[in-house]
Amino acid sequence: MNESRASRLDLIVTPAIGLLLAVLLFVVWNYSDMDPTTERILEPANLARQLQQQLILAFWSTLLVIIVAIPLGIMVTRGGARGLKNTMVGFLGLMQAIPAYGLIVLFFVWLGQGATTVILALAAFSLLPVLRNTIVGIEQVDPSVIESGKGMGMTPVQRLARIELPLSVPVIISGIRTATVITVGMGALAFLIGGGGLGETINAGLKLNRPTAIFVGAALVALVALAFDFAGALAQRYLHPKGL
Amino acid sequence: MNAHDLDPLHEPRALIELVNVEKTYPGAEQPAVRDLSLAVREGEILVLVGPSGCGKSTTLRLINRMIEPTSGSIIFEGADVTNTDPNKLRRQIGYVIQQIGLFPHRTIAENIGTVPRLLKWDKKKTAARVNEMLELVGMDPSIYGPRYPRELSGGQAQRVGVARALAADPDVLLMDEPFGAIDPITRDRLQNEFLRLQAELKKTIVFVTHDIDEAVKMGDRIAILREQSIIAQIDRPEVILTDPADDFVENFLGSGAILKTLTLNRVRDLDLAPVPPVLPGASRTQALAAVEESSSGVAILLDAQEHPVRWVDRRSLDNAAKPIEQAGRSVNVMLQPEDTLQDALSAMLQTSTGMSVVVDGRGRYLGCVTIESLASLLVQTQNGAA
């Protein structure tokens, strides 16, 4: 009950904050004094390119995380892989303890510069929430439900597809939501290793001391993150199994 | 004393057999089930009962191979199934557990259709079967079919659990403390319903409980198990109650063994006393005539659905100021034919007349039972058993 009320609140609060931010952005964009440097930084064509890069980075890294973390989570919750599960969750927790900045640099040293390196770094960083939620989601399924499925002659694959996964969907999606917000936020650091993104605008604003540019860049990043989060909230709402 | 001592000519064929089955869990020193041989006969309810930890659930779960035996073999319908595909075996055996385990994300209809779907029945056949099953357990398919499990009460969920287990018409039903998590009043009703169902369906049932009263009520035969699932005694309940094999069985039965014989017989075994019914709309004269005719001086007022509503006697009818519908005392306690004599006794003790009304499954009036008829049946049984 609580969870559904919370997700309904998500569907209102997230767009409300987004709208507020958009209005602020509109006001700043139209009414602040812009010197030629700021105007050059905030060149619309530049912003559009960076926004697109930001979206692409977030999209691919999230997709990569989903493709890797969910099957991995399923695998380690099968009997006989308990040891592997703990080792893996521990290792990924360690990865998350490395600052995002450091992780991107480490990946740069390993793979060189470019968007692919950024996507891989983002995916590595946001793997844990999806993996952990997949494991938790599957493990919180009432054992008596699985037992009765087994007792009626469901094969392990049928039990997974018809019982365990559908019942863990809400938890898994909330993990994916966390991951997307991380990838969008961290994507602002992509410029460090030539991955582009709105970080370029923020960085230029910082270096050249142009607060308007900093605000516009940061607000756009926040709007992208909110948009992804809202999409996640919608998915949670509409993919939630009926009857729960 | 065990099953093999009974006359083999009259023994129905065994549908399930455990032959020298042993189960030792990895790392355990002692086996959980030691060298168990057990035959379940076609059409009987065999109750496995014993103290907790005696291995009765393990034994049950060995039958559908939810637990794989360490050694020994399992014979199902004449074929050795010890090494066949366990999923195929389980689709032929109904399975009901205490927690029921309904799929919360599936409707009641989908839940009941689980095994038919696994067996790839076509949709029409499955839907028809689901409706039939819901009706069988007394639930309206159009109301309950589209609902989800969380909308059901505990008793309803248990009924759906039984309906789901019966959906593919298995010959065998395994029930692991099916009524264990249900309040006593609902449990009693579900037990009666289930016995009524079983009288119709004649399934072969293995039923696990830790409650000796439930065992006596439900079982055609009872196997009393001690540690490591060793059979202390297996026999008909009346034999176990009157002739326990050893001290273990005697202790397990407890001190109330004689009172428990009250749970062996049902209300339907009693002679119904002729207490005449007064139909709705009857005149005062007609009602008085009925009371006169009654040997006990009372009559039962029925409503339009033939449900008994009031006890009336001469004195209550003499009060002309009151309409007949309000004469006498209301009928509060009603028995059903499946109720045990224990239920009957406590019902009778609640009425001043020492009589209790008996109704059928739909609540229609069948007759009355008296404390005298109960006493005479008990004397007969005692003489018969001695």
Side-chain angles (χ1 to χ4, degrees):
Chain A
M1 299 293 137
N2 265 331
E3 198 190 322
S4 75
R5 194 175 309 145
S7 82
R8 230 174 300 141
L9 212 61
D10 275 2
L11 291 176
I12 301 163
V13 173
T14 311
I17 295 175
L19 195 68
L20 198 71
L21 205 59
V23 169
L24 266 174
L25 190 62
F26 179 81
V27 170
V28 170
W29 183 269
N30 285 300
Y31 299 105
S32 60
D33 298 324
M34 293 206 203
D35 60 288
T37 313
T38 309
E39 272 174 4
R40 210 166 42 251
I41 299 172
L42 294 180
E43 185 76 47
N46 266 345
L47 285 178
R49 177 185 50 80
Q50 291 169 4
L51 186 67
Q52 197 190 359
Q53 284 168 336
Q54 189 89 24
L55 288 171
I56 289 173
L57 291 174
F59 174 80
W60 285 111
S61 52
T62 304
L63 194 68
L64 193 63
V65 164
I66 291 172
I67 291 172
V68 174
I70 293 178
L72 206 61
I74 291 168
M75 229 166 59
V76 297
T77 48
R78 303 303 92 189
R82 308 276 156 194
L84 179 63
K85 181 186 76 188
N86 293 337
T87 318
M88 209 165 57
V89 171
F91 176 70
L92 287 167
L94 217 65
M95 290 267 274
Q96 268 213 326
I98 303 173
Y101 192 95
L103 196 72
I104 286 186
V105 171
L106 275 178
F107 268 73
F108 166 69
V109 171
W110 179 33
L111 295 168
Q113 66 169 13
T116 317
T117 307
V118 178
I119 288 169
L120 288 173
L122 294 181
F125 197 70
S126 53
L127 202 60
L128 184 68
V130 181
L131 179 70
R132 196 181 41 208
N133 279 35
T134 305
I135 294 170
V136 170
I138 288 175
E139 288 186 341
Q140 51 92 43
V141 175
D142 181 354
S144 70
V145 174
I146 301 173
E147 154 109 359
S148 78
K150 187 178 174 192
M152 285 187 288
M154 284 186 166
T155 62
V157 173
Q158 287 168 334
R159 295 199 295 269
L160 177 69
R162 298 187 193 174
I163 306 175
E164 292 174 273
L165 281 182
L167 289 176
S168 45
V169 157
V171 185
I172 295 177
I173 292 183
S174 98
I176 296 173
R177 273 180 78 182
T178 312
T180 54
V181 174
I182 293 176
T183 52
V184 173
M186 237 182 95
L189 295 173
F191 76 93
L192 284 171
I193 57 167
L198 290 160
E200 287 180 5
T201 298
I202 301 172
N203 186 47
L206 285 167
K207 291 242 167 80
L208 302 171
N209 195 19
R210 292 296 185 278
T212 310
I214 299 171
F215 176 79
V216 171
L220 282 174
V221 172
L223 277 174
V224 173
L226 285 170
F228 270 74
D229 189 56
F230 184 63
L234 281 178
Q236 242 173 345
R237 171 85 186 254
Y238 291 103
L239 296 179
H240 193 86
K242 278 185 197 163
L244 287 190
Chain B
M1 175 183 263
N2 62 41
H4 303 292
D5 294 338
L6 293 168
D7 183 356
L9 289 177
H10 293 101
E11 196 170 319
R13 99 186 154 108
L15 208 57
I16 306 165
E17 264 182 286
L18 301 182
V19 184
N20 304 113
V21 168
E22 194 142 323
K23 174 66 189 179
T24 310
Y25 286 104
E29 281 175 20
Q30 296 284 322
V33 173
R34 181 194 290 272
D35 194 24
L36 175 73
S37 293
L38 180 72
V40 188
R41 299 171 191 163
E42 189 165 9
E44 75 169 344
I45 302 183
L46 175 67
V47 179
L48 307 179
V49 63
S52 58
C54 71
K56 52 193 188 295
S57 273
T58 306
T59 303
L60 186 83
R61 289 155 57 85
L62 281 165
I63 296 173
N64 64 353
R65 291 179 50 209
M66 294 294 279
I67 295 175
E68 296 286 357
T70 316
S71 64
S73 47
I74 297 147
I75 316 289
F76 177 68
E77 299 190 326
D80 189 327
V81 292
T82 323
N83 296 304
T84 57
D85 176 2
N87 295 315
K88 269 197 188 135
L89 175 68
R90 289 177 199 139
R91 287 171 200 173
Q92 299 174 56
I93 297 179
Y95 186 49
V96 183
I97 55 176
Q98 184 178 339
Q99 309 84 345
I100 315 168
L102 294 180
F103 303 150
H105 59 307
R106 301 261 195 223
T107 62
I108 303 308
E110 286 168 338
N111 264 286
I112 296 174
T114 304
V115 182
R117 188 177 163 201
L118 290 171
L119 294 171
K120 304 200 166 60
W121 289 16
D122 68 63
K123 285 205 171 117
K124 245 189 183 161
K125 187 179 168 194
T126 304
R129 183 69 183 168
V130 165
N131 287 350
E132 191 188 334
M133 287 297 103
L134 274 169
E135 271 162 16
L136 187 72
V137 296
M139 292 169 80
D140 186 338
S142 60
I143 296 175
Y144 291 102
R147 292 204 180 162
Y148 284 94
R150 66 153 185 219
E151 300 168 73
L152 300 181
S153 70
Q156 289 171 330
Q158 192 56 53
R159 286 191 186 93
V160 173
V162 171
R164 184 172 71 166
L166 289 170
D169 202 16
D171 294 328
V172 174
L173 213 53
L174 306 180
M175 307 182 86
D176 195 348
E177 307 219 12
F179 308 127
I182 290 168
D183 69 274
I185 293 168
T186 314
R187 185 194 309 149
D188 208 51
R189 212 171 57 222
L190 288 176
Q191 286 169 342
N192 290 344
E193 275 177 21
F194 187 73
L195 286 172
R196 205 149 47 211
L197 220 61
Q198 166 64 0
E200 235 174 87
L201 301 173
K202 307 215 166 38
K203 300 287 180 192
T204 304
I205 297 166
V206 187
F207 190 108
V208 164
T209 178
H210 62 267
D211 176 0
I212 184 68
D213 291 316
E214 186 171 57
V216 170
K217 181 170 180 185
M218 304 301 287
D220 295 318
R221 285 196 305 154
I222 298 176
I224 297 191
L225 305 177
R226 62 173 104 228
E227 257 113 272
Q228 301 183 324
S229 217
I230 294 165
I231 299 175
Q233 188 172 13
I234 177 167
D235 217 316
R236 283 172 292 129
E238 56 270 33
V239 177
I240 288 181
L241 286 175
T242 49
D243 186 16
D246 56 19
D247 288 350
F248 174 82
V249 175
E250 211 165 328
N251 280 331
F252 188 74
L253 294 176
S255 52
I258 294 165
L259 272 177
K260 285 192 184 76
T261 56
L262 278 175
T263 60
L264 282 172
N265 288 302
R266 314 277 161 194
V267 168
R268 63 165 172 266
D269 301 327
L270 294 173
D271 295 322
L272 290 181
V275 174
V278 178
L279 300 175
S283 68
R284 193 168 298 273
T285 334
Q286 282 168 320
L288 276 170
V291 170
E292 289 304 328
E293 174 201 327
S294 166
S295 56
S296 47
V298 289
I300 301 280
L301 184 65
L302 306 185
D303 68 7
Q305 284 81 45
E306 294 180 50
H307 298 168
V309 281
R310 300 191 83 81
W311 296 94
V312 289
D313 58 11
R314 177 160 198 100
R315 209 161 38 124
S316 61
L317 287 169
D318 279 343
N319 183 357
K322 262 190 186 172
I324 296 189
E325 291 74 34
Q326 287 168 29
R329 287 164 292 113
S330 67
V331 174
N332 297 321
V333 189
M334 285 177 255
L335 292 166
Q336 296 192 356
E338 290 77 19
D339 283 324
T340 63
L341 294 193
Q342 198 169 20
D343 302 325
L345 183 62
S346 73
M348 288 167 191
L349 293 176
Q350 287 174 53
T351 63
S352 55
T353 50
M355 269 196 285
S356 181
V357 174
V358 183
V359 294
D360 69 8
R362 293 202 173 76
R364 288 185 306 228
Y365 178 65
L366 291 176
C368 288
V369 288
T370 63
I371 211 149
E372 289 82 16
S373 62
L374 189 145
S376 74
L377 183 77
L378 273 187
V379 171
Q380 276 173 35
T381 331
Q382 288 291 322
N383 291 340

